[in-house]
Amino acid sequence: MKVITETPTPETVASLHQPASSSEAVEAKVDQDQANVSCWKTAFQRPNRGEDYTILQALLSIDMLILFLVAICTVGGTSTAINNLGQIGASQGYPKGSINTFVSLVSIWNYLGRVTTGFVSDIILSKYKFPRPQLLTLITLLSCLGYLLIAFNISGSLYVASIIIGFSLGAESSLIIVIISDIFGLKYYSTLYNFRNLGSPIGTYIFNVKVAGNLYDKEAMKQMLTQGITRKHGEDLNCTGTECFKLTFLIIAGATLFGASVTFILGLRTRKFYKSDIYKKFREGQNESEAEMATAGNGAVAAVEDPKTG
């Protein structure tokens, strides 16, 4: 290393910032060449799990397709339950005060689901190498229990269902987000995260509008015909009894069970990945950054060394 014992000139300072070797120039050229390659040409040349995928590589992968289906089945189902919680409580004969309690329970347990699942998944992953998708499978199965409690209207079951559904929604949302960052890397995380969010309105539209809305109206019309009541133009339909939402939540429970099955498949596909040290690359990157900072610091000290020491 050249030690400068005089006040460095601008030319000397500029020379200190030149590449230390030709290998750095070669690496820079390789990175530039990779950046110039069309994303369509690399769309099906997927890297290893945990490395940074391009947007197309991630969107065209089976893993992302599974996560998208899971978001439709799970988040769509829980959102439908929450959106119709007032009507569910009214149709099953709960007082207005209890319906307000259901909403509060969902909100509280939604938060607890997000917080709890985050550190629990980290603990069981670090200690037991338990894949996050398998934990997502268990939580998805738990949400099925909440749907069945609504469908069969056991006495007081809506309180328990509100807790289960709120917790499941928070846990599922949290886990899917983390799984995306684990598998596809962080480079395009924000874009991939929002693609996952697209599954929520799709699932909500399917289950809330097409399933719950149509079946509720059908049952309400059936009750009006049974009672000999003619519906007036523009009059809202009002359904009472267990049958109003029974078939709806049996369908949602079935769809959620399908979501749990494909999540289990994702767990099998990523089992080897989660058995490995998935945080190794972050530690290596941190060590490299620290080494570069130390080298730069030593170079700066040598460049501005006191002339008297020369």
Side-chain angles (χ1 to χ4, degrees):
M1 177 182 293
K2 181 181 179 181
V3 178
I4 300 174
T5 59
E6 301 177 354
T7 303
T9 63
E11 292 77 7
T12 305
V13 173
S15 66
L16 291 173
H17 292 85
Q18 296 298 322
S21 63
S22 60
S23 62
E24 294 183 1
V26 173
E27 291 178 359
K29 186 176 185 306
V30 170
D31 292 339
Q32 184 178 2
D33 292 341
Q34 290 177 348
N36 292 333
V37 176
S38 172
C39 59
W40 291 101
K41 293 182 179 180
T42 60
F44 295 100
Q45 300 173 4
R46 290 184 289 274
N48 296 325
R49 291 188 178 95
E51 297 179 5
D52 289 327
Y53 281 55
T54 66
I55 296 175
L56 280 178
Q57 285 173 342
L59 296 184
L60 297 177
S61 68
I62 296 176
D63 293 343
M64 179 58 78
L65 175 61
I66 291 175
L67 288 171
F68 188 68
L69 289 174
V70 170
I72 292 175
C73 295
T74 58
V75 181
T78 50
S79 297
T80 299
I82 294 171
N83 291 340
N84 292 279
L85 205 54
Q87 282 186 309
I88 295 170
S91 66
Q92 295 184 358
Y94 288 91
K96 186 175 180 180
S98 296
I99 295 174
N100 294 332
T101 302
F102 299 149
V103 176
S104 298
L105 286 173
V106 167
S107 299
I108 293 170
W109 284 90
N110 180 16
Y111 170 76
L112 292 176
R114 293 176 185 272
V115 174
T116 304
T117 307
F119 71 80
V120 168
S121 67
D122 285 338
I123 291 173
I124 62 177
L125 176 61
S126 60
K127 287 189 175 182
Y128 308 107
K129 299 298 182 181
F130 189 78
R132 293 193 215 271
Q134 302 294 38
L135 179 60
L136 180 59
T137 302
L138 297 178
I139 294 173
T140 304
L141 291 174
L142 176 64
S143 65
C144 289
L145 176 60
Y147 302 142
L148 293 177
L149 289 174
I150 295 176
F152 293 105
N153 189 21
I154 303 171
S155 178
S157 62
L158 199 52
Y159 289 97
V160 181
S162 299
I163 293 174
I164 292 175
I165 290 172
F167 180 85
S168 298
L169 176 61
E172 289 162 356
S173 300
S174 176
L175 276 176
I176 292 175
I177 292 170
V178 177
I179 291 171
I180 289 175
S181 66
D182 285 344
I183 296 177
F184 304 109
L186 298 174
K187 187 173 183 179
Y188 298 104
Y189 169 74
S190 59
T191 301
L192 300 178
Y193 165 73
N194 284 294
F195 176 75
R196 167 265 170 197
N197 284 343
L198 182 61
S200 178
I202 292 176
T204 302
Y205 176 77
I206 293 172
F207 295 123
N208 194 29
V209 178
K210 293 300 183 180
V211 178
N214 289 335
L215 292 178
Y216 181 90
D217 292 346
K218 183 179 179 181
E219 181 62 27
M221 289 294 296
K222 181 179 177 181
Q223 291 182 3
M224 292 182 68
L225 291 175
T226 302
Q227 298 171 6
I229 301 174
T230 303
R231 182 187 181 189
K232 298 179 182 179
H233 180 71
E235 182 182 6
D236 292 335
L237 292 172
N238 188 22
C239 181
T240 57
T242 303
E243 297 298 324
C244 298
F245 289 97
K246 183 175 183 178
L247 183 56
T248 294
F249 283 96
L250 288 177
I251 293 173
I252 292 176
T256 305
L257 187 61
F258 169 76
S261 65
V262 296
T263 308
F264 181 75
I265 294 173
L266 179 62
L268 295 178
R269 288 174 53 86
T270 58
R271 180 172 54 185
K272 183 178 179 180
F273 166 67
Y274 279 105
K275 291 291 183 183
S276 65
D277 187 0
I278 66 174
Y279 299 117
K280 181 179 179 180
K281 65 175 184 178
F282 297 108
R283 289 197 300 271
E284 291 177 347
Q286 182 179 2
N287 293 336
E288 290 177 0
S289 298
E290 291 176 353
E292 290 176 358
M293 291 175 64
T295 303
N298 293 336
V301 170
V304 296
E305 184 180 350
D306 190 348
K308 293 181 180 181
T309 62

